[in-house]
Structures are given as structure tokens and as C-alpha cells.
Amino acid sequence: LSKSELRTYSSRLGSTGSVYIEVVGKLDIKALYSITTPERQLKRLVYEYERSINERLPAASALVGHPVETFCTILDLYNVSLTNFWRVKDYVSQAAGIGQDRYPEVMGKFYIINAPFGFSAVWSAIKPWLDPVTVDKIEVLGSGYKDKLVAQIPKENLPRELGGECACVGGCSLSDAGPWIEGGHEHPPAVEGA
């Protein structure tokens, strides 16, 4: 269970705010729950929200010269089976609740990409628990998501595997590149041939 399976890509800049990318397709749910609990995951989520509000958004605002107050979130479900998704649906519901109830001002557009066949049934089960304003921000996409993402996020700030041009050394998921890193807003150098 590697860090890249548990964490996100860094919060990069998009047209309406910072970008938060969660890739869960490689996640081994059984292994994850053998080393942590959903409650600890939720505490980590709150920590990331607070860090983003206190460090990432102000640094992004300073860089672009106007307030950056929201995140465009991408949840990549590539290789996620419906069985695994049902195992984490309570966590997903609680995480969405934290976002909509405690941090509604920072939730911008939310894309669910690579949604597996049958995901619409899961989405129908989760949707009633969410505020209608939150539901309006969420767009469920299949595998044809790239044009939609590139319209929202500059290619240089979107990882190559999602249709962009970013290829950080060690992988974008471990870089946390952005203006909140001491030394500026430059991305780490790209990996040749990545």
C-alpha cells in the first residue's frame, strides 16, 4: 500500500481554483483497513482541508493576483470495482458530508472520472444524502473525460495520465507542486519520456 495509493495529486491551479485529484483505482481496500480506519482517514481529510485553506489557497491567490477560493476536485475511479466502491461508500458519504457541511465555500466543480459500469446505481444511493447545491457541482464522467478536464484545468497543471502535460519527477502524486512550496510555484522537473 503505497503513498500514491492513499494520497492525491497536488493542488495545482485550474481556471476556477486549485485542483485536488484523488486516485483510488490502485487502492487495496482490505490492506488499507488493516492499517487504518475510516475515522483516521476522515481526520486526514480535515487536516488536508485546513492545510489547503491556510496554506495552498492563499499562496495560489498571491501567485495569480486575485482570490483563489475553491478547489476543482477530480475523483478517478479507474479500476475500482463496484464491490470495492460499496465497501467505501460510507466513507465517501461522510467525506462528502464534511466537505459540504464544514467547507462548502471551497468546493468548486467535482468530477468523478472513469466511473465504472453500474456506477449510476451507487451514485443514486449516495445522491440523496448530499445537499442539492453539492449535487449540482458534481459531474459523473466515464472514460471520455479529457476534453472536459482540459477545458477547466491548464494542461501544464494536469498529470499526463489524465490528459495533461505535467510529469513530475517521482510522479505528480508525490510532488505537492504549487506556490505553497518554499522556493516558488514551479513544478518539479518533468520525467523524460514519461
Side-chain angles (χ1 to χ4, degrees):
L1 198 61
S2 73
K3 183 176 180 183
S4 64
E5 294 167 333
L6 292 173
R7 289 290 315 276
T8 65
Y9 289 98
S10 60
S11 301
R12 301 172 180 282
L13 295 177
S15 62
T16 60
S18 290
V19 180
Y20 179 86
I21 305 170
E22 184 80 35
V23 179
V24 295
K26 296 178 185 175
L27 186 62
D28 181 337
I29 303 299
K30 197 173 192 177
L32 174 66
Y33 286 159
S34 74
I35 61 170
T36 193
T37 65
E39 292 77 21
R40 285 185 64 207
Q41 288 180 276
L42 291 170
K43 286 179 183 179
R44 177 66 184 189
L45 176 68
V46 169
Y47 168 80
E48 289 296 333
Y49 267 119
E50 292 296 326
R51 180 170 177 232
S52 294
I53 290 168
N54 294 315
E55 298 173 23
R56 291 177 174 140
L57 293 178
S61 298
L63 175 67
V64 297
H66 60 79
V68 175
E69 299 172 329
T70 64
F71 288 96
C72 171
T73 301
I74 301 167
L75 178 62
D76 187 355
L77 298 180
Y78 182 74
N79 271 348
V80 174
S81 69
L82 285 178
T83 302
N84 276 345
F85 196 84
W86 275 111
R87 289 180 188 154
V88 296
K89 82 173 175 46
D90 291 337
Y91 167 79
V92 170
S93 176
Q94 290 174 319
I98 288 171
Q100 79 176 7
D101 297 342
R102 299 189 179 152
Y103 303 98
E105 68 281 358
V106 298
M107 185 180 173
K109 194 68 180 161
F110 192 115
Y111 296 103
I112 299 174
I113 64 171
N114 290 312
F117 178 77
F119 180 78
S120 58
V122 176
W123 177 236
S124 295
I126 293 172
K127 218 168 25 172
W129 299 332
L130 301 176
D131 184 278
V133 173
T134 301
V135 171
D136 287 343
K137 295 177 181 181
I138 299 171
E139 193 167 343
V140 179
L141 305 172
S143 58
Y145 61 84
K146 291 181 181 180
D147 289 341
K148 186 72 104 171
L149 294 185
V150 172
Q152 176 84 18
I153 304 158
K155 281 188 171 189
E156 65 271 12
N157 291 334
L158 188 64
R160 283 188 183 165
E161 54 270 24
L162 297 180
E165 297 172 351
C166 187
C168 301
V169 172
C172 295
S173 65
L174 301 177
S175 75
D176 199 32
W180 45 89
I181 302 298
E182 189 174 323
H185 67 279
E186 295 301 316
H187 298 299
V191 176
E192 289 299 318

